[in-house]
Amino acid sequence: MKTNIQVLVAGVIVFVAFIAACGGDDDTPQSNNEAPEAMTAHREPPERPDREPLIESETTADGLKAILGTGDLGVGRERIGFVLTSKTGFINTDGVQVKPKYISDGAEGAGAAVDTEFHEWPYGNRGLYTTYVDFDRAGDWVLDISVPGENGATMSVPLAIEVFDISHAPMQGHSAVSSKTRTVDDVETIEELTTGSLQDPDLYQISLDQALENEMPTVVVFASPAFCQNAVCGPQVDVLQELKNAYPSDANFVHVDFYDNPHEIQGDLERAVIAPAVLEWRLPSIEWTFVIDKQGIVTARFEGFATYNEVEAALRQVL
């Protein structure tokens, strides 16, 4: 590796996966090249997205609790992801449904209940429930989540969320941000590029801005593996490596650490510096995956942890 200055991009804890999903079916928005700065000028993302608390419901009398994995929501069709816990731990039962309700301005309009899909994570019994919801207006919403119980009973938990006119991070159909990120040629050791123990040089061979110009699809993960600590955070860089191994010549695979100085943190996040690309992409939370087509348009975005199957399905849409 050649020597250069600077220290790369980074990542911190994140959720499950959040979010997994989608892009490329009939519901995918049309391309829109409006810059993220113009789209979100009316509000700023947090200065320290790695310190943003998770959105959680109250715990019901039954011990049911919901933890949102996809808090960056805008008007339109959005992917919702959440984790459910009970008195005995994480819930992974089938049959969970969500009914969205708009509650701002004293008005209340409930949508139809939609089924969810459970995505099991590659370790433990944890997993993320996901579905798509059409938000027709900005404001305060509640997700009424129903969970099948014993003997035909149904438990439910309301999860309050906020929907904005447009999300912070680039949405489906919008141009990806052409950020210059560091590669193995820019550093002395790969420890300057990632906080994780999985240190695959293939994920740092090309800068993100170059990837967006070589007429190949791109999968980019913003995450800090060593600081994946909360209920919705998972091994996203491992998923990126699996995809790279399965489609080695079909797409660009880029990891950007959430932190710009991984080798200087040494377990102390007070030393952490948010990576420039994280700020340029206006990411409001700590783990993100984007699938981008050959024209540089975001076709799928996953906030928090997304499984291999979820991201692969989105990638295959653009190959």
Coordinates of all heavy atoms in Angstrom, one line a residue, residues 13 33 77 107 117 271 276:
I13 N -22.4 1.9 15.8 CA -23.5 0.9 16.0 C -24.7 1.1 15.2 O -25.0 2.1 14.9 CB -23.8 1.0 17.5 CG1 -23.8 2.4 17.9 CG2 -22.9 0.2 18.3 CD1 -24.0 2.7 19.3
N33 N -32.7 13.7 -10.1 CA -31.3 14.1 -9.8 C -31.2 15.3 -8.9 O -30.1 15.8 -8.8 CB -30.7 14.4 -11.2 CG -30.5 13.2 -12.0 OD1 -30.3 12.1 -11.5 ND2 -30.7 13.3 -13.4
R77 N -43.6 6.0 -0.3 CA -43.5 4.6 0.1 C -42.2 4.3 0.8 O -41.1 4.5 0.2 CB -43.6 3.7 -1.2 CG -43.7 2.2 -0.9 CD -44.1 1.4 -2.1 NE -44.1 0.0 -1.9 CZ -45.1 -0.7 -1.3 NH1 -46.2 0.0 -0.9 NH2 -45.1 -2.0 -1.2
A107 N -56.3 15.3 13.8 CA -56.9 14.4 12.8 C -56.4 13.0 13.0 O -55.4 12.7 13.6 CB -56.6 14.8 11.4
E117 N -42.6 -9.1 7.2 CA -41.7 -10.3 6.9 C -40.6 -10.3 8.0 O -40.0 -9.2 8.2 CB -41.1 -10.2 5.5 CG -40.3 -11.4 5.2 CD -39.8 -11.4 3.7 OE1 -40.2 -10.4 3.0 OE2 -39.0 -12.3 3.3
R271 N -12.9 10.1 21.1 CA -11.9 10.5 20.1 C -12.4 10.4 18.7 O -11.7 10.8 17.8 CB -10.7 9.5 20.2 CG -10.0 9.5 21.6 CD -8.8 8.5 21.6 NE -8.2 8.3 22.9 CZ -7.2 7.6 23.1 NH1 -6.6 7.0 22.1 NH2 -6.7 7.5 24.3
P276 N -16.2 12.2 6.7 CA -16.8 13.3 5.8 C -17.9 12.7 4.9 O -18.9 13.4 4.7 CB -15.6 13.7 4.9 CG -14.4 13.4 5.8 CD -14.7 12.2 6.6

